Amino acid sequence: MIRSLLHILPVLLVIGLLLSTFGCAAGSGKPSDATTKRPVIHIGEKTTTTEGEGIATTTLPAEITGTTTVGQQTGGKTMIFDKNNRLQPVILLPYGADANESFAAEELQYFVQQATGHKPTVTTEGSAVFSGLQAKNAAFISVGHTSLAVNAGAVPTYAAVKENGFKLSADSRHLYVCGADSIGTRNGVYELLHILVGYECYASDEIAVKAPGALSLESVKTAIQSGQTSAGGIYVPSFNWREANAGEFFHAATAGSAAHTTEEGTKAIYRFRFNRTEEIYFFGHNTHNTFTVLDPADYGWNDKTGTWSSTAHRTWFSHKSDGTTVTTRYSTTRIEPSQLCYSNQQMKETYIQRLLQRFDAAGTVPSCFLLGMEDNVEWCQCDACSKSTPSLLALRFANDVALAIDDWCRKKDRDPIKTVFFAYYATETPPAKSAVNFSLSPNLSVMYAPIRSNFYTPLTSNDTAQIKRWTAIVGDGAHAWLYSLYTKTGLMLFDSFGSMRKNYQSLKALGFDGLLDQTDHYQPVQVAFGAFKTYVMSKLQWDLDFVDPSNKTAWDRVTADFFDAYYGSASGTMQEIFRKLRSKYQSLGSSIGVIWTDMNDSRYWTQAELQEYMDLLNKAYGQVSDTQTRERIMRESLGFRAILLSHKTYRPATMTWNGAADTKESWRAECKRLGVTYYSEGVTVDKW
């Protein structure tokens, strides 16, 4: 492929209306689509220009008020772009467009401008601009629930697409992109951009578009039908909810070419077509949240001394039969009760009351509430809890909460809220179905989180048996929490590429509706080939048929396509490193697939092979000249260098980019310069 490497800052106008919904997604086209010889524009390296930002809606553009006919005919065909690559249809928003719809229109406008050099017009139904365009018989790209889309039958039903799916359609003049929910509309715009200008989101800072050339309305209709996932231009993701998890999405990076704000991180979520946690769950990314509702400190707990100033409510929290609190120490300065006492009726009633008060105060409540137990392995040991099992206690408690939420929804005359509770550690094993002797809410579900499983290999028969037992109790629509990270060595690749699709397929077949595959959620920039992992995850979670990693030809094509975009002239060398590392892991066996494996252990490596990786990284560094790509390569070196620095029998690495041998001090300084703040989960580079 001929690539014109134009680095352009994707700085978008941050409108207050959009702050909560900056959007992002990945085009669903497979790399085999990318055989065109049209130059590709890579939007990546940051500059400071602000030219062409914002949505123009105030006046009729010259190309419409002048001689150009919108939707002009060429050779008897209605063309989407004129001979100068100017988009002819006008982007149309509904009156009263919400933030997702407005952002979707802005993204459509922005990326078309980057591909063509011309800024399309966006207007709103009911505006003077819209009236003037109608008088000229203009063509539109309708975004969201416009009256134009409603009258054309272009609005899909919720049953067909749920929150995240959408419908693309066209008639003799207009194009329509619309979800049942505006989240779906936001996703749909990226699919349309893929069709119009070859949009492909490889990474948050590496997005490709290309000039469209001659593109007729009929060609777009054909592309819509070939890309759909069911009849009638309907696109539905493999999992309705796909929770973003890479740390760059949530944490600002203040150094290096990958520096970004949290708002830009949120945009990246949408461009990959992931979901923000906040648009799925009430408490958002606060997943271990029972104490968010019932904080022990409100009842006299001192988390520094691990004591109560008042004992009146201590039995609401995990305790032994003698009343002694069962605790978990999270740090040298913080100790907490381990869990709630799920058998305590007074605690349960207060929990429900306080939770519903939060719902009332919030105004807007998403469609799911995640009831997350605290993040530890301890459990209440009181007499009442000891007579049951943790999973049965959690199920009964969650069900009572779900029934109360059901009642709240009826009183508010709103759609039901799904209550999802953790199957995690002590609650991972489901209770016997015969022990569930109470009526379950139809809106109760489970999040299965097999944290102790091996994720280098696919889920075991024991895992799937556990899942089936849970779904036999709560039905379809469960959510899953999988793992793709090392908690002890966050700078080394966790290789879940071979098991990822198989696990997703298993969950899909078992009726799962939501998915989180946890990566290095704390790191503000991508390391350990995390950018490629995020790309593959985003694609497979949207479309399980995107690629089969066991098909070497298809997998090599996907790998090469990404590495070409992300590493440029160093693509071949970086692919060699990636393949070599995966082969090394294969030789070590499946034990490396447990998240607590310490890949810094010297028994996994020799000095010679570590030096081979460093030689290849030095070679890759010398193959490129731009700062952004060089820093990407340097970040991949940090894990290998940390291993070399950890063991006295190894010689520190020497890097061509500074010409000196590493010390821990120089390594830490380089981490900070590259925006890398953590060595592993909970351990900053300063404390390593």
Side-chain angles (χ1 to χ4, degrees), residues 646-675:
S646 296
H647 304 286
K648 292 181 180 179
T649 56
Y650 293 159
R651 294 187 306 277
T654 299
M655 290 77 63
T656 59
W657 48 85
N658 66 16
D662 258 336
T663 64
K664 283 194 175 183
E665 290 70 26
S666 66
W667 178 89
R668 290 188 183 106
E670 188 154 283
C671 284
K672 293 176 182 178
R673 187 174 65 80
L674 296 170

Side-chain angles (χ1 to χ4, degrees), residues 388-627:
S388 186
T389 64
S391 56
L392 184 59
L393 287 165
L395 176 65
R396 186 186 292 274
F397 179 82
N399 186 59
D400 288 344
V401 173
L403 290 169
I405 293 174
D406 292 345
D407 185 57
W408 183 86
C409 290
R410 283 191 293 270
K411 291 176 180 177
K412 298 292 184 181
D413 193 26
R414 63 151 285 165
D415 291 335
I417 295 170
K418 181 196 290 186
T419 299
V420 183
F421 68 97
F422 265 140
Y424 176 71
Y425 278 136
T427 62
E428 184 180 330
T429 300
K433 190 173 182 181
S434 59
V436 185
N437 56 1
F438 44 92
S439 298
L440 294 177
S441 163
N443 300 304
L444 180 66
S445 192
V446 67
M447 174 175 273
Y448 186 71
I451 190 170
R452 291 170 289 203
S453 293
N454 188 310
F455 294 95
Y456 182 74
T457 55
L459 294 171
T460 65
S461 57
N462 180 63
D463 288 318
T464 54
Q466 299 251 78
I467 292 170
K468 288 177 180 178
R469 288 172 59 195
W470 271 119
T471 56
I473 295 171
V474 299
D476 288 345
H479 293 204
W481 186 321
L482 305 182
Y483 298 84
S484 185
L485 78 161
Y486 288 124
T487 60
K488 295 182 178 180
T489 44
L491 300 178
M492 291 303 294
L493 169 70
F494 186 100
D495 186 1
S496 59
F497 290 102
S499 63
M500 192 185 297
R501 180 173 182 259
K502 293 176 182 178
N503 286 341
Y504 296 174
Q505 286 176 316
S506 295
L507 295 170
K508 178 69 175 177
L510 290 164
F512 276 63
D513 185 56
L515 179 59
L516 162 64
D517 200 346
Q518 182 177 339
T519 58
D520 296 315
H521 57 96
Y522 50 84
Q523 193 74 267
V525 295
Q526 293 281 18
V527 295
F529 293 105
F532 185 43
K533 184 181 291 182
T534 296
Y535 175 72
V536 175
M537 283 181 173
S538 73
K539 291 293 196 175
L540 286 175
Q541 290 179 25
W542 183 271
D543 177 10
L544 282 168
D545 292 328
F546 169 66
V547 68
D548 178 359
S550 66
N551 181 325
K552 186 178 184 304
T553 301
W555 176 248
D556 286 350
R557 186 174 63 241
V558 166
T559 305
D561 183 63
F562 176 88
F563 277 64
D564 286 352
Y566 197 68
Y567 294 111
S569 301
S571 171
T573 305
M574 294 305 293
Q575 287 183 69
E576 183 180 353
I577 295 169
F578 180 67
R579 287 192 298 267
K580 181 180 178 64
L581 189 56
R582 292 196 70 205
S583 178
K584 168 67 177 180
Y585 280 24
Q586 186 176 19
S587 72
L588 294 174
S590 62
S591 63
I592 61 164
V594 177
I595 70 171
W596 300 289
T597 304
D598 186 357
M599 293 307 295
N600 200 328
D601 194 318
S602 61
R603 64 194 169 105
Y604 294 132
W605 310 97
T606 67
Q607 168 79 43
E609 62 189 353
L610 289 168
Q611 189 57 55
E612 284 182 48
Y613 289 114
M614 288 307 305
D615 289 346
L616 287 168
L617 286 160
N618 278 315
K619 177 182 176 182
Y621 181 86
Q623 290 171 331
V624 295
S625 57
D626 66 283
T627 300

